[in-house]
Amino acid sequence: MSIFETDDAIVGMVHLSALPGSPDYGGSFDAIRTRALTDVHALESGGVDAIMVENFGDSPFYPDDVPKHVVASMTRIVTELRQAVDCPLGVNVLRNDAESALSIATAGGADFIRVNVHTGARLTDQGVVEGNAHETLRLRDEIDSGVKILADIDVKHSAPLAERPLTELVDETLGRGRADGLVVSGVGTGHEVDTDLLESVVSVRDEASSDASVLVGSGTTTENVADLLEIADGAIVGTALKEEGKTTNEVDESRVSELVRRA
């Protein structure tokens, strides 16, 4: 695979608590970074192949341009996490701030970013979110970054503005969008992916003779991980790795180990 060091990669999620400036901020930045460090150690000890950091607690999300203090907070945390673990590290800045994600990842020594809407446009609770592949790729060249780009196809918590053939969506994301990998998710966080859609994306990728990885973006559990990895190249897993299977809880190392074992 072009991004990860192994096939069937399991990417564990670090869901950051609300950062300073967000409505749910708890008043202690040190508590946020301590929790992130605890989660990242549990993920690595449990055997994941990579880890991705996301400002999950910052809802309601800015559509595509987070404030500078969010960039500063995430850069500090990502830098600390990079020093704490050896596996590949990724960044996702919600809702769709690819420029900030790329900047944070490059400055913090991370390896990849996730971009929810890289090409095209989607209707979301933040309004219409448009892809900015033209800016993201030029910024990557400008700052001489080696960070890879994972781009969603039919991203969760959104709807298309107009129906288009899947072949066109995948071809444009990989071709003109030059994504290094694709993510296919269910309708929302923790929701299972449509396996027919997943198989179709993999098929279009193969027909394009691309080496881009295809990852499951939501709904992976200990029960279905083996079946999903028969289709996809890996999975991004958050909810299933948390205590009691709740997205906002701490990472449960025993859950991580069991899911990795079954994978």
Side-chain angles (χ1 to χ4, degrees), residues 159-223:
L161 296 180
E163 294 296 336
R164 299 183 62 206
L166 181 65
T167 300
E168 292 181 9
L169 297 177
V170 175
D171 282 344
E172 289 175 1
T173 303
L174 292 176
R176 285 184 282 188
R178 304 187 185 188
D180 301 293
L182 303 175
V183 181
V184 185
S185 61
V187 297
T189 300
H191 289 257
E192 287 191 29
V193 67
D194 181 335
T195 53
D196 289 338
L197 173 62
L198 180 63
E199 289 176 342
S200 296
V201 171
V202 171
S203 177
V204 175
R205 185 275 312 269
D206 292 344
E207 290 174 3
S209 300
S210 170
D211 63 355
S213 52
V214 176
L215 275 69
V216 177
S218 70
T220 300
T221 66
T222 53
E223 289 74 23

Side-chain angles (χ1 to χ4, degrees), residues 37-257:
L37 285 164
T38 299
D39 282 351
V40 82
H41 283 303
L43 289 168
E44 186 175 54
S45 296
V48 299
D49 302 293
I51 295 169
M52 184 155 58
V53 186
E54 178 180 88
N55 58 325
F56 184 81
D58 280 353
S59 62
F61 302 115
Y62 290 90
D64 54 14
D65 187 15
V66 301
K68 292 180 176 61
H69 60 78
V70 174
V71 177
S73 293
M74 291 191 69
T75 301
R76 179 180 173 187
I77 292 171
V78 168
T79 300
E80 289 195 48
L81 299 186
R82 174 71 290 164
Q83 295 170 349
V85 296
D86 294 325
C87 63
L89 191 65
V91 178
N92 187 20
V93 179
L94 300 171
R95 172 64 157 136
N96 199 57
D97 194 343
E99 180 177 342
S100 290
L102 181 63
S103 300
I104 293 165
T106 303
D111 305 279
F112 63 96
I113 62 173
R114 179 179 182 178
V115 184
N116 292 169
V117 184
H118 184 55
T119 59
R122 303 283 295 185
L123 181 61
T124 75
D125 57 307
Q126 295 82 34
V128 176
V129 174
E130 299 182 14
N132 290 299
H134 57 291
E135 294 181 353
T136 306
L137 291 167
R138 284 172 172 80
L139 175 63
R140 186 166 66 172
D141 287 343
E142 182 179 345
I143 62 177
D144 193 25
S145 173
V147 169
K148 303 292 187 181
I149 298 171
L150 287 177
D152 277 84
I153 299 293
D154 195 26
V155 69
K156 58 188 177 182
H157 299 290
S158 74
L161 296 180
E163 294 296 336
R164 299 183 62 206
L166 181 65
T167 300
E168 292 181 9
L169 297 177
V170 175
D171 282 344
E172 289 175 1
T173 303
L174 292 176
R176 285 184 282 188
R178 304 187 185 188
D180 301 293
L182 303 175
V183 181
V184 185
S185 61
V187 297
T189 300
H191 289 257
E192 287 191 29
V193 67
D194 181 335
T195 53
D196 289 338
L197 173 62
L198 180 63
E199 289 176 342
S200 296
V201 171
V202 171
S203 177
V204 175
R205 185 275 312 269
D206 292 344
E207 290 174 3
S209 300
S210 170
D211 63 355
S213 52
V214 176
L215 275 69
V216 177
S218 70
T220 300
T221 66
T222 53
E223 289 74 23
N224 66 18
V225 63
D227 291 336
L228 290 173
L229 293 181
E230 288 293 326
I231 307 170
D233 302 306
I236 301 168
V237 192
T239 301
L241 305 182
K242 303 298 186 68
E243 294 178 355
E244 301 178 353
K246 295 182 179 180
T247 310
T248 54
N249 284 353
E250 291 188 5
V251 171
D252 183 335
E253 186 178 331
S254 63
R255 281 176 169 263
V256 179
S257 299

